[in-house]
């Protein structure tokens, strides 16, 4: 469809079409018409964006429902008490081989365990028992060793906590607590 040159709005430099460079005469673009958004187009955009947002919310609900329906992780032996000295740490995997975790023994009777993946970008965190912190060396994130909550840096969510239980001379992982605050 060809358009009459008089229907085109003025070029950005304000000169008439006959004085425009050849490329602009060959490919006239009506900037005002090109930038015009009709109500119908705007309504289509709103419906599309709202649909995508709603689909995302349903996806989150589905994933939460699916996570709640999953079976509880199995009880798993982590270590013997003699394997981890006071102030020491131990790496283990729980509830599956793809989830690295750390077990820390800050004092004689206390054991804490967390996922080793930083809640910022999943870098491996390193416990610093002397300073009572867990450090993410990638972006200088700091977590409390006692609670796993973020102290400083970019992480906003606490580390997932692994509940542990001491039975006799052995330490067992019994569950995972995913926390958001």
């Amino acid at each position: 469809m060809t358009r009459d040159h008089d229907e085109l709005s003025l070029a950005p430099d304000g000169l008439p079409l006959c004085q425009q460079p050849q490329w602009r005469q060959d490919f006239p673009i009506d900037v005002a018409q090109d930038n015009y958004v009709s109500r119908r187009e705007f309504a289509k955009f709103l419906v599309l964006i709202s649909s995508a947002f709603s689909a995302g919310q349903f996806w989150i609900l589905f994933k939460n429902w699916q996570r709640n329906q999953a079976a509880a992780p199995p009880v798993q032996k982590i270590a013997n008490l003699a394997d981890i000295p006071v102030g020491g740490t131990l790496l283990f995997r729980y509830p599956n081989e793809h989830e690295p975790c750390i077990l820390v023994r800050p004092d004689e009777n206390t054991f804490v365990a967390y996922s080793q993946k930083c809640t910022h970008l999943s870098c491996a965190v390193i416990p610093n028992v002397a300073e009572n912190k867990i450090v993410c060396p990638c972006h200088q994130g700091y977590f409390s060793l006692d609670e796993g909550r973020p102290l400083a840096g970019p992480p906003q969510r606490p580390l997932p906590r692994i509940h542990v239980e001491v039975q006799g001379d052995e330490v067992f992982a019994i569950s995972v607590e995913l926390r958001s605050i």
Side-chain angles (χ1 to χ4, degrees), residues 28-119:
I29 296 173
D30 189 350
V31 175
Q33 183 65 31
D34 195 43
N35 291 335
Y36 177 74
V37 178
S38 69
R39 279 184 280 176
R40 182 176 299 228
E41 290 172 334
F42 185 69
K44 285 180 183 177
F45 175 76
L46 286 180
V47 168
L48 182 66
I49 295 299
S50 298
S51 300
F53 181 75
S54 297
Q57 294 298 313
F58 282 115
W59 178 254
I60 290 171
L61 285 174
F62 174 73
K63 293 302 283 183
N64 281 337
W65 175 80
Q66 190 179 33
R67 188 177 344 161
N68 290 336
Q69 297 300 316
V75 175
Q76 175 183 323
K77 179 185 172 188
I78 301 173
N80 294 319
L81 287 180
D83 296 340
I84 180 165
V86 174
T89 62
L90 181 74
L91 297 177
F92 66 100
R93 297 189 180 274
Y94 184 79
N96 58 48
E97 288 298 314
H98 305 290
E99 298 293 333
C101 302
I102 50 174
L103 174 67
V104 182
R105 187 176 188 181
D107 61 46
E108 184 67 29
N109 299 319
T110 306
F111 292 90
V112 291
Y114 302 100
S115 170
Q116 197 183 19
K117 292 180 181 177
C118 178
T119 55

Side-chain angles (χ1 to χ4, degrees), residues 139-142 151-156:
H139 301 103
Q140 298 303 311
Y142 294 92
L151 297 174
Q156 299 294 311

Side-chain angles (χ1 to χ4, degrees), residues 145-162:
L145 183 63
D146 299 329
E147 302 169 353
R149 63 181 169 79
L151 297 174
Q156 299 294 311
R157 292 175 288 131
L159 293 170
R161 185 177 204 137
I162 312 298

